[in-house]
Amino acid sequence: MKNNALLLKTLLLSTSQINIYKHTDDQKKRKRIVSGFIGATVIYIMIMFYSVSMCIGYGQNGLIDSMPVMCALTVSLLAFVLALFRTNGYLFNFKEYDMLMSLPFEARTVAGCKFLYMYIKSLPWFISVSFAMLAGYAHFAKPEFIAALLWIILTFLLPIVPMLIAAFIGFLIARISSGFRKTNIIQTVLTIVFALFCFSLRYIIDGLFRNDKVDETLETAAKMTDNAAKYYLPAGWFSDAVTKLSVTDLLLLVCVSAALFAAVFLVVGRSYRNINSALKSHAAAKRYRMSDQKKKSVVNAIAFKEFKRMTGSTTYMVNAAMGDILAVLIGVVTLIIGFDKIVAIVTNNAPFDAAILQPAIPFIIYFFIGMMATTAASPSLEGKNYWIVQSLPIEKKTIYQGKMLFNMYLTVPFMLFATLCLCISAKVPAVNAVLYLVLGVVLCAFSTAWGCVCGVRHMRLDWENEVEVIKQGSAVTVYLLPNMFVVMGLCALTVFLGTKLDHKIITLAFILIAGVLAAISYRRVMKLSR
């Protein structure tokens, strides 16, 4: 534990945003850190709001006694999911692996340190949920001071067991995947399936509230959480320690967490070096044969390099492809169920003609396709290899053209397929359908060029984990938020204009506007590449 503490302290100091803010003179970096803190604070406030709202619902329905178990299960599930999807980046295949493994520490010590680092980085999520639920629980149940104090202390212990379970599953996935050429395939599939489940869960919950089943749902949820505590013992230990002040359950939670930590990293430590080595390098296939090399243009070669980079990273692949997958699913579902029925479900059977929504079809699909432009993250993803890119006998503009070409290769086919499905389902006239397809391609071009502008202007190369660039980077945020809100506004605007003007005129106007914006963004990229 002494070695773990030493490594953990060094790692936290070297990556602490507060520490960087204190000592850096780079104003752009300071502004990025401040904006990151503001964004994180807003997210945590939203989480706390939802947690308190849940407590109010339970309290008003006389189910507040189930809240400690609900809190334990919520924190545990959140800890499990975060750890499962972060294990690949924090425990395995991380950037400073070579440096850490060269130090005089055992492999299990390094692995344990990285786990604790991941735990500390995730703590704000757990604290936001647990402390907010404590406030709601205290308002209705009026617990003793010692019970509230135990709740606060055990909040820091509660996530350890599910995180260790998730880390061990991640270890098994990495161990199995290290034998494949595409090492991230298993985790990528699991992540996509989970993300799709989360999207569908939103509509299930919405349906329950629309049908006035709130009270019934809460009662069912309370029964389910009480039963779950019988099978997931840490949740029951947390609940009994808080509500019954049980010393036995308190000690069980502490001892099991410590013992499981030691056991997991004793097993992980034995294969830690082998797994990381396998993830960082791959042997050639046994049946490899020499053949004529295909000649490609430099731009296409860079685009292919971006494809390899995306397929080599679970986080990158999921974030880059999720919008495209959702667009295709929406197209297929609409083709099967019918455009009119989908509109009726979304609008709760509002009395209006679904045909007026036809001009918005390209923007509806683009809302998903444009969620993430690979060009917003790819310049920063060069990271420590950026000097290699700088030393190549290739102009910067050619590199950025290759990155933009890859994003077009990725988004345009999905855009065309999903738009065509909606056009067929909505029985759009042939000329209008062609115009919608053209507008979709132009929107992809704008997304690509605008994402590249954001990626180059807000490039960050000093990241410790690729999640910081792909999910939390300033470039992605600057690209995503304005783009998302503008598209929502354009959907409403096209529907309004569709009641006043011919749909062909509206589409041609937006093709022109989007084309001009794409050209301006492209020229801006070329200027930034000088």
Side-chain angles (χ1 to χ4, degrees):
M1 290 304 297
K2 185 178 180 181
N3 291 337
N4 272 322
L6 177 62
L7 281 174
L8 183 61
K9 179 181 177 181
T10 305
L11 191 58
L12 289 172
L13 285 175
S14 63
T15 59
S16 169
Q17 296 297 303
I18 297 175
N19 199 30
I20 295 172
Y21 183 86
K22 287 180 179 178
H23 296 95
T24 186
D25 294 325
D26 189 342
Q27 293 302 317
K28 288 185 178 179
K29 187 176 291 187
R30 292 169 71 93
K31 290 179 181 178
R32 186 172 66 236
I33 292 172
V34 171
S35 62
F37 277 122
I38 293 173
T41 302
V42 171
I43 292 174
Y44 297 142
I45 290 174
M46 291 174 61
I47 292 173
M48 295 174 73
F49 172 77
Y50 285 121
S51 300
V52 171
S53 299
M54 185 185 298
C55 291
I56 292 173
Y58 271 66
Q60 290 179 346
N61 286 273
L63 302 171
I64 198 62
D65 291 339
S66 298
M67 189 47 59
V69 176
M70 175 60 77
C71 175
L73 292 175
T74 303
V75 171
S76 298
L77 180 61
L78 181 61
F80 178 83
V81 171
L82 289 178
L84 184 62
F85 295 145
R86 290 182 173 184
T87 296
N88 187 51
Y90 279 95
L91 263 66
F92 303 105
N93 206 17
F94 50 90
K95 189 173 69 172
E96 71 280 7
Y97 169 77
D98 293 331
M99 181 192 69
L100 283 179
M101 297 309 293
S102 66
L103 297 175
F105 297 113
E106 294 181 359
R108 65 178 179 179
T109 301
V110 175
C113 168
K114 293 296 293 182
F115 173 83
L116 292 174
Y117 178 75
M118 178 173 64
Y119 162 77
I120 291 174
K121 284 287 189 178
S122 304
L123 264 181
W125 295 86
F126 312 141
I127 291 174
S128 299
V129 173
S130 184
F131 287 9
M133 287 189 174
L134 172 59
Y137 176 75
H139 175 73
F140 288 98
K142 303 294 188 300
E144 299 178 15
F145 173 77
I146 187 65
L149 183 62
L150 281 175
W151 187 307
I152 294 173
I153 294 172
L154 293 180
T155 295
F156 296 91
L157 289 173
L158 194 57
I160 293 177
V161 172
M163 288 186 72
L164 286 169
I165 295 172
F168 189 72
I169 293 174
F171 159 74
L172 294 177
I173 292 174
R175 189 75 180 88
I176 296 170
S177 298
S178 61
F180 294 95
R181 193 174 68 164
K182 298 296 182 184
T183 59
N184 68 325
I185 187 66
I186 297 177
Q187 193 170 11
T188 300
V189 172
L190 289 175
T191 306
I192 291 175
V193 170
F194 178 77
L196 293 175
F197 169 74
C198 289
F199 276 102
S200 62
L201 188 61
R202 180 262 180 202
Y203 294 100
I204 295 172
I205 295 173
D206 185 58
L208 291 174
F209 278 79
R210 279 187 179 181
N211 295 327
D212 298 326
K213 296 180 180 178
V214 180
D215 295 342
E216 181 183 342
T217 302
L218 288 175
E219 291 178 4
T220 304
K223 292 178 181 178
M224 290 176 63
T225 53
D226 291 339
N227 290 331
K230 297 177 182 178
Y231 299 98
Y232 182 67
L233 298 179
W237 296 338
F238 174 84
S239 177
D240 290 342
V242 170
T243 58
K244 302 177 182 178
L245 303 180
S246 172
V247 177
T248 302
D249 292 296
L250 173 63
L251 292 175
L252 278 172
L253 186 57
V254 173
C255 295
V256 168
S257 299
L260 191 60
F261 178 87
V264 166
F265 288 101
L266 179 63
V267 175
V268 171
R270 294 177 179 177
S271 304
Y272 196 63
R273 293 179 186 271
N274 295 337
I275 292 174
N276 276 286
S277 298
L279 291 175
K280 287 179 175 292
S281 60
H282 305 288
K286 294 180 180 179
R287 298 181 180 179
Y288 178 77
R289 293 181 180 179
M290 290 292 293
S291 59
D292 295 337
Q293 291 185 333
K294 295 181 181 179
K295 192 173 182 179
K296 296 182 180 179
S297 67
V298 176
V299 175
N300 270 299
I302 294 171
F304 182 72
K305 171 186 170 293
E306 288 300 316
F307 170 74
K308 299 291 287 185
R309 178 71 178 86
M310 185 188 75
T311 55
S313 167
T314 298
T315 305
Y316 191 14
M317 190 169 182
V318 170
N319 282 268
M322 181 54 66
D324 302 327
I325 293 172
L326 287 172
V328 170
L329 287 177
I330 288 171
V332 172
V333 169
T334 305
L335 199 60
I336 295 172
I337 297 178
F339 186 78
D340 294 345
K341 292 182 179 179
I342 293 291
V343 172
I345 293 171
V346 173
T347 60
N348 200 17
N349 295 312
F352 70 92
D353 186 5
I356 65 174
L357 295 176
Q358 290 182 5
I361 286 176
F363 294 105
I364 293 172
I365 299 302
Y366 176 71
F367 180 81
F368 297 98
I369 296 290
M371 277 184 180
M372 167 76 171
T374 59
T375 49
S378 58
S380 298
L381 284 174
E382 299 296 342
K384 64 181 181 180
N385 297 321
Y386 185 69
W387 68 272
I388 300 177
V389 177
Q390 293 283 76
S391 64
L392 292 174
I394 304 173
E395 294 182 355
K396 280 187 179 179
K397 69 176 184 180
T398 305
I399 295 173
Y400 295 142
Q401 285 171 343
K403 292 179 180 294
M404 287 189 284
L405 181 61
F406 168 67
N407 193 69
M408 292 294 288
Y409 283 155
L410 179 66
T411 57
V412 170
F414 290 100
M415 182 74 183
L416 294 177
F417 177 82
T419 303
L420 190 60
C421 287
L422 263 67
C423 288
I424 294 172
S425 180
K427 299 178 181 178
V428 176
V431 176
N432 291 21
V434 172
L435 291 176
Y436 294 164
L437 293 172
V438 173
L439 177 56
V441 174
V442 175
L443 287 172
C444 288
F446 165 71
S447 170
T448 299
W450 169 240
C452 198
V453 172
C454 298
V456 176
R457 283 185 60 87
H458 302 279
M459 191 184 304
R460 180 185 176 185
L461 303 173
D462 58 341
W463 46 270
E464 189 274 334
N465 190 288
E466 62 184 13
V467 174
E468 299 171 15
V469 173
I470 298 170
K471 289 189 174 182
Q472 304 166 1
S474 300
V476 174
T477 303
V478 172
Y479 163 81
L480 176 63
L481 294 180
N483 193 48
M484 181 175 64
F485 288 115
V486 168
V487 172
M488 292 171 65
L490 288 175
C491 285
L493 179 61
T494 51
V495 171
F496 172 75
L497 293 176
T499 62
K500 307 292 183 182
L501 301 172
D502 185 82
H503 292 180
K504 300 181 187 66
I505 297 175
I506 299 171
T507 307
L508 286 170
F510 278 113
I511 289 174
L512 179 62
I513 294 170
V516 171
L517 292 175
I520 292 172
S521 299
Y522 179 80
R523 290 190 63 184
R524 182 60 179 161
V525 174
M526 294 299 101
K527 287 183 179 180
L528 292 171
S529 63
R530 292 175 184 173

